[in-house]
PDB file of all heavy atoms in Angstrom:
ATOM      1  N   LEU A   1    -127.944 -15.257 168.258  1.00 89.00           N
ATOM      2  CA  LEU A   1    -128.657 -15.267 169.540  1.00 89.00           C
ATOM      3  C   LEU A   1    -127.907 -16.095 170.582  1.00 89.00           C
ATOM      4  O   LEU A   1    -127.805 -15.696 171.747  1.00 89.00           O
ATOM      5  CB  LEU A   1    -130.070 -15.821 169.350  1.00 89.00           C
ATOM      6  CG  LEU A   1    -131.047 -14.904 168.630  1.00 89.00           C
ATOM      7  CD1 LEU A   1    -132.359 -15.650 168.354  1.00 89.00           C
ATOM      8  CD2 LEU A   1    -131.308 -13.649 169.427  1.00 89.00           C
ATOM      9  N   VAL A   2    -127.370 -17.230 170.172  1.00 91.00           N
ATOM     10  CA  VAL A   2    -126.609 -18.069 171.108  1.00 91.00           C
ATOM     11  C   VAL A   2    -125.348 -17.345 171.555  1.00 91.00           C
ATOM     12  O   VAL A   2    -124.994 -17.348 172.743  1.00 91.00           O
ATOM     13  CB  VAL A   2    -126.282 -19.433 170.461  1.00 91.00           C
ATOM     14  CG1 VAL A   2    -125.282 -20.213 171.303  1.00 91.00           C
ATOM     15  CG2 VAL A   2    -127.550 -20.240 170.271  1.00 91.00           C
ATOM     16  N   ALA A   3    -124.664 -16.686 170.618  1.00 93.00           N
ATOM     17  CA  ALA A   3    -123.443 -15.956 170.970  1.00 93.00           C
ATOM     18  C   ALA A   3    -123.754 -14.789 171.906  1.00 93.00           C
ATOM     19  O   ALA A   3    -123.026 -14.559 172.877  1.00 93.00           O
ATOM     20  CB  ALA A   3    -122.755 -15.455 169.705  1.00 93.00           C
ATOM     21  N   ALA A   4    -124.818 -14.052 171.620  1.00 93.00           N
ATOM     22  CA  ALA A   4    -125.190 -12.930 172.477  1.00 93.00           C
ATOM     23  C   ALA A   4    -125.561 -13.421 173.877  1.00 93.00           C
ATOM     24  O   ALA A   4    -125.194 -12.797 174.872  1.00 93.00           O
ATOM     25  CB  ALA A   4    -126.349 -12.159 171.856  1.00 93.00           C
ATOM     26  N   ASP A   5    -126.262 -14.543 173.951  1.00 93.00           N
ATOM     27  CA  ASP A   5    -126.627 -15.099 175.248  1.00 93.00           C
ATOM     28  C   ASP A   5    -125.385 -15.517 176.025  1.00 93.00           C
ATOM     29  O   ASP A   5    -125.281 -15.271 177.228  1.00 93.00           O
ATOM     30  CB  ASP A   5    -127.556 -16.296 175.056  1.00 93.00           C
ATOM     31  CG  ASP A   5    -127.989 -16.898 176.374  1.00 93.00           C
ATOM     32  OD1 ASP A   5    -128.408 -16.122 177.258  1.00 93.00           O
ATOM     33  OD2 ASP A   5    -127.913 -18.125 176.522  1.00 93.00           O
ATOM     34  N   ALA A   6    -124.418 -16.119 175.344  1.00 93.00           N
ATOM     35  CA  ALA A   6    -123.180 -16.530 176.007  1.00 93.00           C
ATOM     36  C   ALA A   6    -122.401 -15.320 176.512  1.00 93.00           C
ATOM     37  O   ALA A   6    -121.865 -15.341 177.624  1.00 93.00           O
ATOM     38  CB  ALA A   6    -122.329 -17.357 175.047  1.00 93.00           C
ATOM     39  N   ILE A   7    -122.354 -14.256 175.723  1.00 94.00           N
ATOM     40  CA  ILE A   7    -121.620 -13.055 176.125  1.00 94.00           C
ATOM     41  C   ILE A   7    -122.276 -12.404 177.340  1.00 94.00           C
ATOM     42  O   ILE A   7    -121.602 -12.017 178.296  1.00 94.00           O
ATOM     43  CB  ILE A   7    -121.510 -12.074 174.944  1.00 94.00           C
ATOM     44  CG1 ILE A   7    -120.555 -12.643 173.885  1.00 94.00           C
ATOM     45  CG2 ILE A   7    -121.036 -10.707 175.404  1.00 94.00           C
ATOM     46  CD1 ILE A   7    -120.557 -11.876 172.594  1.00 94.00           C
ATOM     47  N   VAL A   8    -123.587 -12.285 177.317  1.00 94.00           N
ATOM     48  CA  VAL A   8    -124.292 -11.668 178.451  1.00 94.00           C
ATOM     49  C   VAL A   8    -124.140 -12.523 179.705  1.00 94.00           C
ATOM     50  O   VAL A   8    -123.916 -12.003 180.795  1.00 94.00           O
ATOM     51  CB  VAL A   8    -125.779 -11.431 178.088  1.00 94.00           C
ATOM     52  CG1 VAL A   8    -126.578 -11.043 179.320  1.00 94.00           C
ATOM     53  CG2 VAL A   8    -125.894 -10.371 177.016  1.00 94.00           C
ATOM     54  N   SER A   9    -124.230 -13.838 179.559  1.00 94.00           N
ATOM     55  CA  SER A   9    -124.059 -14.723 180.708  1.00 94.00           C
ATOM     56  C   SER A   9    -122.653 -14.606 181.282  1.00 94.00           C
ATOM     57  O   SER A   9    -122.471 -14.553 182.504  1.00 94.00           O
ATOM     58  CB  SER A   9    -124.330 -16.176 180.311  1.00 94.00           C
ATOM     59  OG  SER A   9    -125.663 -16.318 179.892  1.00 94.00           O
ATOM     60  N   LEU A  10    -121.657 -14.552 180.414  1.00 95.00           N
ATOM     61  CA  LEU A  10    -120.277 -14.397 180.870  1.00 95.00           C
ATOM     62  C   LEU A  10    -120.073 -13.056 181.561  1.00 95.00           C
ATOM     63  O   LEU A  10    -119.397 -12.975 182.583  1.00 95.00           O
ATOM     64  CB  LEU A  10    -119.324 -14.537 179.687  1.00 95.00           C
ATOM     65  CG  LEU A  10    -117.845 -14.578 180.004  1.00 95.00           C
ATOM     66  CD1 LEU A  10    -117.524 -15.781 180.884  1.00 95.00           C
ATOM     67  CD2 LEU A  10    -117.028 -14.625 178.728  1.00 95.00           C
ATOM     68  N   LEU A  11    -120.686 -12.015 181.041  1.00 95.00           N
ATOM     69  CA  LEU A  11    -120.590 -10.695 181.656  1.00 95.00           C
ATOM     70  C   LEU A  11    -121.200 -10.701 183.053  1.00 95.00           C
ATOM     71  O   LEU A  11    -120.627 -10.147 183.996  1.00 95.00           O
ATOM     72  CB  LEU A  11    -121.273  -9.652 180.777  1.00 95.00           C
ATOM     73  CG  LEU A  11    -121.221  -8.214 181.263  1.00 95.00           C
ATOM     74  CD1 LEU A  11    -119.793  -7.704 181.233  1.00 95.00           C
ATOM     75  CD2 LEU A  11    -122.097  -7.337 180.392  1.00 95.00           C
ATOM     76  N   ILE A  12    -122.329 -11.361 183.222  1.00 94.00           N
ATOM     77  CA  ILE A  12    -122.976 -11.447 184.534  1.00 94.00           C
ATOM     78  C   ILE A  12    -122.085 -12.207 185.515  1.00 94.00           C
ATOM     79  O   ILE A  12    -121.907 -11.785 186.662  1.00 94.00           O
ATOM     80  CB  ILE A  12    -124.362 -12.112 184.414  1.00 94.00           C
ATOM     81  CG1 ILE A  12    -125.318 -11.182 183.673  1.00 94.00           C
ATOM     82  CG2 ILE A  12    -124.921 -12.488 185.777  1.00 94.00           C
ATOM     83  CD1 ILE A  12    -126.632 -11.823 183.303  1.00 94.00           C
ATOM     84  N   VAL A  13    -121.489 -13.305 185.066  1.00 94.00           N
ATOM     85  CA  VAL A  13    -120.607 -14.091 185.933  1.00 94.00           C
ATOM     86  C   VAL A  13    -119.401 -13.261 186.358  1.00 94.00           C
ATOM     87  O   VAL A  13    -118.995 -13.274 187.529  1.00 94.00           O
ATOM     88  CB  VAL A  13    -120.176 -15.395 185.229  1.00 94.00           C
ATOM     89  CG1 VAL A  13    -119.040 -16.079 185.970  1.00 94.00           C
ATOM     90  CG2 VAL A  13    -121.353 -16.336 185.091  1.00 94.00           C
ATOM     91  N   VAL A  14    -118.816 -12.519 185.434  1.00 94.00           N
ATOM     92  CA  VAL A  14    -117.646 -11.693 185.753  1.00 94.00           C
ATOM     93  C   VAL A  14    -118.009 -10.608 186.757  1.00 94.00           C
ATOM     94  O   VAL A  14    -117.272 -10.367 187.722  1.00 94.00           O
ATOM     95  CB  VAL A  14    -117.041 -11.089 184.467  1.00 94.00           C
ATOM     96  CG1 VAL A  14    -116.036 -10.001 184.771  1.00 94.00           C
ATOM     97  CG2 VAL A  14    -116.393 -12.185 183.634  1.00 94.00           C
ATOM     98  N   VAL A  15    -119.143  -9.953 186.569  1.00 93.00           N
ATOM     99  CA  VAL A  15    -119.557  -8.887 187.489  1.00 93.00           C
ATOM    100  C   VAL A  15    -119.795  -9.457 188.886  1.00 93.00           C
ATOM    101  O   VAL A  15    -119.357  -8.874 189.888  1.00 93.00           O
ATOM    102  CB  VAL A  15    -120.814  -8.168 186.954  1.00 93.00           C
ATOM    103  CG1 VAL A  15    -121.439  -7.286 188.020  1.00 93.00           C
ATOM    104  CG2 VAL A  15    -120.460  -7.344 185.726  1.00 93.00           C
ATOM    105  N   VAL A  16    -120.455 -10.596 188.975  1.00 92.00           N
ATOM    106  CA  VAL A  16    -120.703 -11.212 190.280  1.00 92.00           C
ATOM    107  C   VAL A  16    -119.385 -11.620 190.932  1.00 92.00           C
ATOM    108  O   VAL A  16    -119.173 -11.409 192.137  1.00 92.00           O
ATOM    109  CB  VAL A  16    -121.653 -12.427 190.139  1.00 92.00           C
ATOM    110  CG1 VAL A  16    -121.692 -13.251 191.413  1.00 92.00           C
ATOM    111  CG2 VAL A  16    -123.043 -11.952 189.758  1.00 92.00           C
ATOM    112  N   PHE A  17    -118.464 -12.179 190.165  1.00 91.00           N
ATOM    113  CA  PHE A  17    -117.169 -12.587 190.701  1.00 91.00           C
ATOM    114  C   PHE A  17    -116.381 -11.387 191.226  1.00 91.00           C
ATOM    115  O   PHE A  17    -115.819 -11.429 192.317  1.00 91.00           O
ATOM    116  CB  PHE A  17    -116.371 -13.315 189.614  1.00 91.00           C
ATOM    117  CG  PHE A  17    -115.023 -13.770 190.061  1.00 91.00           C
ATOM    118  CD1 PHE A  17    -114.882 -14.854 190.904  1.00 91.00           C
ATOM    119  CD2 PHE A  17    -113.887 -13.104 189.646  1.00 91.00           C
ATOM    120  CE1 PHE A  17    -113.640 -15.274 191.325  1.00 91.00           C
ATOM    121  CE2 PHE A  17    -112.633 -13.516 190.061  1.00 91.00           C
ATOM    122  CZ  PHE A  17    -112.512 -14.605 190.903  1.00 91.00           C
ATOM    123  N   VAL A  18    -116.361 -10.300 190.465  1.00 90.00           N
ATOM    124  CA  VAL A  18    -115.625  -9.101 190.887  1.00 90.00           C
ATOM    125  C   VAL A  18    -116.245  -8.516 192.153  1.00 90.00           C
ATOM    126  O   VAL A  18    -115.539  -8.145 193.087  1.00 90.00           O
ATOM    127  CB  VAL A  18    -115.577  -8.063 189.746  1.00 90.00           C
ATOM    128  CG1 VAL A  18    -115.088  -6.722 190.237  1.00 90.00           C
ATOM    129  CG2 VAL A  18    -114.677  -8.566 188.627  1.00 90.00           C
ATOM    130  N   CYS A  19    -117.564  -8.438 192.188  1.00 88.00           N
ATOM    131  CA  CYS A  19    -118.229  -7.892 193.379  1.00 88.00           C
ATOM    132  C   CYS A  19    -117.981  -8.773 194.599  1.00 88.00           C
ATOM    133  O   CYS A  19    -117.787  -8.268 195.704  1.00 88.00           O
ATOM    134  CB  CYS A  19    -119.722  -7.748 193.132  1.00 88.00           C
ATOM    135  SG  CYS A  19    -120.130  -6.431 191.978  1.00 88.00           S
ATOM    136  N   ALA A  20    -117.978 -10.086 194.414  1.00 86.00           N
ATOM    137  CA  ALA A  20    -117.736 -10.995 195.537  1.00 86.00           C
ATOM    138  C   ALA A  20    -116.306 -10.861 196.038  1.00 86.00           C
ATOM    139  O   ALA A  20    -116.055 -10.915 197.243  1.00 86.00           O
ATOM    140  CB  ALA A  20    -118.022 -12.429 195.118  1.00 86.00           C
ATOM    141  N   ARG A  21    -115.353 -10.687 195.145  1.00 84.00           N
ATOM    142  CA  ARG A  21    -113.960 -10.521 195.574  1.00 84.00           C
ATOM    143  C   ARG A  21    -113.760  -9.221 196.324  1.00 84.00           C
ATOM    144  O   ARG A  21    -113.026  -9.163 197.292  1.00 84.00           O
ATOM    145  CB  ARG A  21    -113.025 -10.551 194.364  1.00 84.00           C
ATOM    146  CG  ARG A  21    -112.638 -11.936 193.969  1.00 84.00           C
ATOM    147  CD  ARG A  21    -111.576 -11.864 192.917  1.00 84.00           C
ATOM    148  NE  ARG A  21    -110.340 -11.346 193.474  1.00 84.00           N
ATOM    149  CZ  ARG A  21    -109.186 -11.964 193.426  1.00 84.00           C
ATOM    150  NH1 ARG A  21    -109.133 -13.141 192.859  1.00 84.00           N
ATOM    151  NH2 ARG A  21    -108.103 -11.432 193.921  1.00 84.00           N
ATOM    152  N   LEU A  22    -114.405  -8.157 195.864  1.00 79.00           N
ATOM    153  CA  LEU A  22    -114.256  -6.874 196.541  1.00 79.00           C
ATOM    154  C   LEU A  22    -114.864  -6.900 197.933  1.00 79.00           C
ATOM    155  O   LEU A  22    -114.369  -6.253 198.850  1.00 79.00           O
ATOM    156  CB  LEU A  22    -114.891  -5.761 195.710  1.00 79.00           C
ATOM    157  CG  LEU A  22    -114.172  -5.413 194.406  1.00 79.00           C
ATOM    158  CD1 LEU A  22    -114.966  -4.356 193.646  1.00 79.00           C
ATOM    159  CD2 LEU A  22    -112.762  -4.939 194.666  1.00 79.00           C
ATOM    160  N   ARG A  23    -115.934  -7.648 198.100  1.00 74.00           N
ATOM    161  CA  ARG A  23    -116.584  -7.725 199.408  1.00 74.00           C
ATOM    162  C   ARG A  23    -115.839  -8.603 200.381  1.00 74.00           C
ATOM    163  O   ARG A  23    -115.909  -8.394 201.583  1.00 74.00           O
ATOM    164  CB  ARG A  23    -117.993  -8.289 199.250  1.00 74.00           C
ATOM    165  CG  ARG A  23    -118.985  -7.224 198.964  1.00 74.00           C
ATOM    166  CD  ARG A  23    -120.325  -7.763 199.242  1.00 74.00           C
ATOM    167  NE  ARG A  23    -121.039  -6.686 199.916  1.00 74.00           N
ATOM    168  CZ  ARG A  23    -122.231  -6.776 200.358  1.00 74.00           C
ATOM    169  NH1 ARG A  23    -122.870  -7.890 200.239  1.00 74.00           N
ATOM    170  NH2 ARG A  23    -122.817  -5.773 200.934  1.00 74.00           N
ATOM    171  N   SER A  24    -115.151  -9.628 199.887  1.00 69.00           N
ATOM    172  CA  SER A  24    -114.520 -10.585 200.802  1.00 69.00           C
ATOM    173  C   SER A  24    -113.184 -10.091 201.335  1.00 69.00           C
ATOM    174  O   SER A  24    -112.643 -10.686 202.247  1.00 69.00           O
ATOM    175  CB  SER A  24    -114.320 -11.929 200.093  1.00 69.00           C
ATOM    176  OG  SER A  24    -113.366 -11.792 199.053  1.00 69.00           O
TER     177      SER A  24
END
């Protein structure tokens, strides 16, 4: 459960970072 939570959190951070870079 901890590993799955870390993976999902990392995935969310990566998606937000990519979207922010594309917009800027």
Side-chain angles (χ1 to χ4, degrees):
L1 288 173
V2 169
D5 181 48
I7 290 170
V8 169
S9 297
L10 188 61
L11 182 67
I12 291 171
V13 168
V14 167
V15 167
V16 168
F17 180 74
V18 168
C19 289
R21 275 188 68 124
L22 291 176
R23 272 197 139 182
S24 67

